[in-house]
Amino acid sequence: MHKKILLLLVLPLLLLTACNKSSSSYTCNYKAPTAVASATEIASLKAYLDSNSITYTAHPSGIFYHITEQGSGTVTPVVCSYVTVKYMGRLLTTTTPFDQNTTGTTFQLGQLIEGWKYGIPLIKPGGSITLYIPPSLGYGASGSGQAIPPNSNLVFTIELLEVQ
């Protein structure tokens, strides 16, 4: 009888300790973004959006965005979060995607370009957003392969499916 009581008292402690060990062994080396686009990049992107009558909200970082669906829940993504998203990325001046995922893929937010680090936390799971990203918060002066030339303004339409 004493063994059963002792087991009932010790088992929850062991479970809590095991949970704490696994969560405390997880480390995240990413920091919240601090980069800000230059005034020239911001003005150029804003002029394009205005001249094409694109609805947007300006972010202090220099990205522009339009939230289509806010999403719901209490979980807000941070740079250490794993986010599952559907997305389509294109250059500002074309409608042809350079990358897309229509089934859902998972990334750690801290591994992504600065524009995503600023934009994704603006919505909750189930939400969708369009990000207009100036070059310095995208792929910058180096671009990315042949699909994204240096100093490109980018547009990403993103649906946030899940945050872990």
Side-chain angles (χ1 to χ4, degrees), residues 91 98-99 138-152 154:
L91 301 177
F98 58 74
D99 191 17
Y139 295 98
S142 61
S144 181
Q146 292 182 355
I148 305 173
N151 299 311
S152 294
L154 307 173

Side-chain angles (χ1 to χ4, degrees), residues 7-149:
L7 182 62
L8 288 174
L9 293 173
V10 173
L11 186 59
L13 291 174
L14 290 173
L15 291 174
L16 287 173
T17 304
C19 291
N20 286 339
K21 283 183 183 174
S22 64
S23 62
S24 66
S25 66
Y26 170 76
T27 58
C28 175
N29 296 322
Y30 297 107
K31 304 273 188 251
T34 59
V36 176
S38 71
T40 304
E41 285 183 341
I42 294 169
S44 173
L45 185 51
K46 183 180 183 323
Y48 179 89
L49 297 173
D50 288 342
S51 69
N52 287 281
S53 302
I54 296 172
T55 302
Y56 65 83
T57 300
H59 187 273
S61 67
I63 68 165
F64 295 87
Y65 64 93
H66 178 74
I67 296 174
T68 308
E69 180 67 41
Q70 182 61 55
S72 61
T74 58
V75 179
T76 300
V78 295
V79 292
C80 293
S81 299
Y82 284 88
V83 293
T84 302
V85 295
K86 293 180 186 178
Y87 68 92
M88 189 273 297
R90 63 178 177 83
L91 301 177
L92 183 65
T93 56
T94 182
T95 58
T96 305
F98 58 74
D99 191 17
Q100 65 182 346
N101 182 289
T102 58
T103 58
T105 187
T106 302
F107 302 104
Q108 189 169 22
L109 189 55
Q111 297 174 328
L112 304 174
I113 61 173
E114 299 297 292
W116 278 48
K117 293 178 198 175
Y118 283 118
I120 297 292
L122 298 172
I123 58 175
K124 307 265 188 213
S128 58
I129 189 169
T130 301
L131 301 176
Y132 302 92
I133 303 174
S136 62
L137 301 178
Y139 295 98
S142 61
S144 181
Q146 292 182 355
I148 305 173

